[in-house]
Amino acid sequence: MNILIIGGGGREHSVARSISISKNCNKIYILPGNAGTAELGENIEGDVNDFNLIKKTVLSNQISVVFVGPEDPIVNGIYDFFKKEQLLKDILIVAPGKRAAKLEGSKDFAKVFMKKNNIPTAKHSTFSKETIQQAYSFLDQMKPPYVLKADGLAAGKGVLILNTLNEAKKELDNMLLKNKFGKASNRVVIEEFLDGIELSCFVLTNGKDYKVLPFAKDYKKIGEADTGLNTGGMGAVSPVPFLDEKLKIKIEEKIIKPTVQGIQDERMDYIGFIFIGLIKVKDEPYVIEYNVRMGDPETEVVFPRIKSDILDFLLALETDNFPLLDLDIDSRAAATVMLVSGGYPLAYEKHIPISGLRDINQSIVFHAGTKTQDNKILTNGGRVLAITSFGETINKATDTCYKEIQKISFKGMSFRKDIGFDL
Ligand code: AMP
Ligand code: GLY
């Protein structure tokens, strides 16, 4: 069968690679894709939010399965669009419905959902311009550091952690009164600061049954030892060494099960992935956030560790067979290191030639911001390549990444040299 993957980053290259080795995969189309996905299938130029183009692509290429990578089209309702279109409604679209997507699209919605379903998370309150005085009083009663979150999608930049009350009030003004994050900060969630270590949990679900994928940990800061600006992600590892059986059971019982039950109780359409951002405080897990998709760069370590035929799992989602399938996971560790453009996450140059990719033989190269021009591979974004390796331990996996990275170069190339440092 033919598969369409929506998105063009390292996550989508990793998904394309896993699907390409499925026995049921005939041809893969990727919209818009990158230079890496072009080697696995056909890239279609266009915007991930152009639903009419997606419809045309599906119909003209006999697509049977659509896999949606990024949050934007999901939050914009791509699932509901398919279900309303006569010609698309029977096509399997791996993306939750618009109402479920509010778990990512609105922090307040997610907090209310967690509270209702008794899921451990930081205490919070939500405020708007009209209730800014109450927001100041709420901050007065809290201890530093102060956590402010724009309610809506803000490209991963909408969370601010402030050390002083003055800064917190100033940023609250910027968000509520000065549209710091546009419409996304019309409402602000203020919550208790949780002090602990973060990890990412991935669940594939049809809103009733679920499979827990390998856990991972990502590294969001640009600088070594987790310093400097936030990025889309500079690297990731899987599994997570500090996650023992006891904590895994707590996560499943206190978080995963009530989350899926809540989705079912509220009759949300859910065919796809839940990415639960967790933080371990002492020995207890808390939810930091929900995402309604896979993570990037976590997918570049999680999917390669799945030995089962991924397409079989996707095809089973809407059948009674789904609960009967067992995931086969590679016992080795995987690590990925992102190579980024000079200047990222601030301004950076694009269209710089990349050399050395053909010499990589011990790692998997996932393309993120790349494109092909005149048979050359050029940079085309901030995050350019994710280099993934396996190893008996995380250290061995990262060692291989760093050895292989020596062979790659492009002007301005930069990467974190300490992925996995804290484990
Ligand atoms: P989010 O966009 O909700 O994932 O938040 C971005 C980052 O902010 C998280 O990965 C955490 O590092 C941090 N963060 C968010 N909420 C809290 C919290 N309540 N306590 C401590 N850190 C937080
Ligand atoms: N790695 C974090 C994210 O995909 O949002």
Side-chain angles (χ1 to χ4, degrees):
M1 56 182 67
N2 295 343
I3 319 292
L4 173 64
I5 298 171
I6 308 292
R11 169 181 48 212
E12 288 75 24
H13 189 187
S14 177
V15 170
R17 175 181 173 272
S18 292
I19 290 182
S20 72
I21 49 190
S22 164
K23 59 183 181 307
N24 288 311
C25 172
N26 176 40
K27 181 163 177 188
I28 302 183
Y29 296 83
I30 312 94
L31 189 159
N34 57 38
T37 63
E39 289 173 16
L40 297 172
E42 185 176 331
N43 287 348
I44 311 268
E45 250 179 78
D47 187 295
V48 298
N49 291 305
D50 186 346
F51 293 176
N52 284 318
L53 172 67
I54 292 170
K55 174 181 173 183
K56 211 177 96 200
T57 305
V58 166
L59 297 177
S60 55
N61 297 293
Q62 293 83 47
I63 302 290
S64 307
V65 182
V66 181
F67 186 111
V68 188
E71 62 273 24
D72 268 6
I74 300 180
V75 172
N76 289 339
I78 192 165
Y79 175 92
D80 302 58
F81 173 82
F82 268 60
K83 294 303 148 190
K84 278 196 207 110
E85 291 271 334
Q86 198 54 32
L87 296 172
L88 298 179
K89 70 179 183 10
D90 296 324
I91 289 176
L92 173 62
I93 174 153
V94 183
K98 193 165 181 168
R99 203 153 50 86
K102 284 180 79 178
L103 289 170
E104 175 161 0
S106 163
K107 303 255 185 216
D108 178 64
F109 181 87
K111 296 298 285 195
V112 171
F113 175 91
M114 285 184 254
K115 205 162 168 193
K116 196 167 177 195
N117 292 288
N118 236 333
I119 295 165
T121 187
K123 289 192 192 67
H124 89 289
S125 218
T126 302
F127 302 94
S128 62
K129 198 159 73 184
E130 290 71 33
T131 55
I132 196 160
Q133 292 304 331
Q134 283 100 302
Y136 295 143
S137 319
F138 189 72
L139 282 172
D140 285 335
Q141 293 157 24
M142 296 185 85
K143 283 190 301 231
Y146 303 90
V147 182
L148 306 185
K149 300 185 170 186
D151 178 54
L153 286 187
K157 299 190 179 80
V159 175
L160 302 178
I161 299 183
L162 294 321
N163 286 320
T164 69
L165 190 57
N166 269 343
E167 282 173 296
K169 288 185 178 173
K170 203 173 116 208
E171 287 297 353
L172 183 70
D173 288 351
N174 287 338
M175 286 163 97
L176 287 179
L177 307 177
K178 296 184 187 151
N179 293 315
K180 174 159 184 156
F181 299 108
K183 263 193 357 215
S185 61
N186 280 354
R187 290 195 299 168
V188 173
V189 171
I190 304 182
E191 69 178 37
E192 167 197 26
F193 179 82
L194 298 174
D195 193 8
I197 185 158
E198 288 177 56
L199 67 158
S200 306
C201 166
F202 299 95
V203 178
L204 175 63
T205 185
N206 53 17
K208 181 165 160 273
D209 301 297
Y210 64 88
K211 305 286 170 199
V212 183
L213 275 46
F215 282 76
K217 183 172 195 314
D218 81 333
Y219 294 82
K220 288 201 183 82
K221 299 280 184 188
I222 186 75
E224 266 103 34
D226 289 338
T227 52
L229 294 174
N230 256 329
T231 70
M234 295 295 288
V237 300
S238 175
V240 178
F242 60 82
L243 175 71
D244 56 22
E245 257 331 287
K246 242 169 110 180
L247 182 59
K248 238 185 219 171
I249 291 170
K250 277 187 192 166
I251 293 172
E252 181 144 12
E253 294 302 321
K254 296 184 177 185
I255 293 171
I256 299 174
K257 281 187 186 166
T259 297
V260 176
Q261 189 63 49
I263 286 171
Q264 194 177 357
D265 292 346
E266 303 207 8
R267 298 176 185 280
M268 293 173 177
D269 295 313
Y270 214 112
I271 296 287
F273 297 88
I274 318 173
F275 161 2
I276 313 176
L278 296 171
I279 188 162
K280 171 172 118 54
V281 183
K282 298 201 178 85
D283 284 323
E284 290 301 318
Y286 292 82
V287 177
I288 290 268
E289 64 164 352
Y290 287 116
N291 296 297
V292 293
R293 53 175 172 87
M294 284 299 297
D296 192 353
E298 289 96 328
T299 308
E300 289 92 301
V301 289
V302 170
F303 269 41
R305 289 191 66 222
I306 299 175
K307 296 206 279 187
S308 315
D309 185 323
I310 287 193
L311 191 51
D312 280 349
F313 281 75
L314 303 181
L315 294 172
L317 277 168
E318 292 184 316
T319 74
D320 296 337
N321 205 27
F322 182 62
L324 308 177
L325 294 180
D326 268 327
L327 270 175
D328 187 13
I329 304 300
D330 196 320
S331 61
R332 291 174 301 168
T336 197
V337 177
M338 270 288 172
L339 308 185
V340 304
S341 298
Y344 176 80
L346 302 175
Y348 54 82
E349 266 183 71
K350 287 204 265 192
H351 315 307
I352 299 171
I354 304 170
S355 67
L357 293 178
R358 279 184 214 289
D359 302 325
I360 304 297
N361 46 26
Q362 289 175 55
S363 300
I364 311 168
V365 176
F366 290 120
H367 289 236
T370 67
K371 67 171 195 178
T372 317
Q373 197 175 298
D374 304 330
N375 285 321
K376 282 205 205 86
I377 295 181
L378 308 181
T379 67
N380 193 34
R383 294 193 294 171
V384 178
L385 298 160
I387 310 303
T388 295
S389 314
F390 284 105
E392 288 314 313
T393 61
I394 285 171
N395 270 337
K396 286 188 177 155
T398 52
D399 282 351
T400 304
C401 292
Y402 289 121
K403 212 171 80 209
E404 291 287 87
I405 286 170
Q406 302 286 324
K407 301 174 182 169
I408 303 175
S409 72
F410 56 87
K411 192 175 86 202
M413 180 176 111
S414 156
F415 58 93
R416 263 183 71 166
K417 293 161 191 78
D418 68 342
I419 297 305
F421 78 103
D422 52 342
L423 300 173

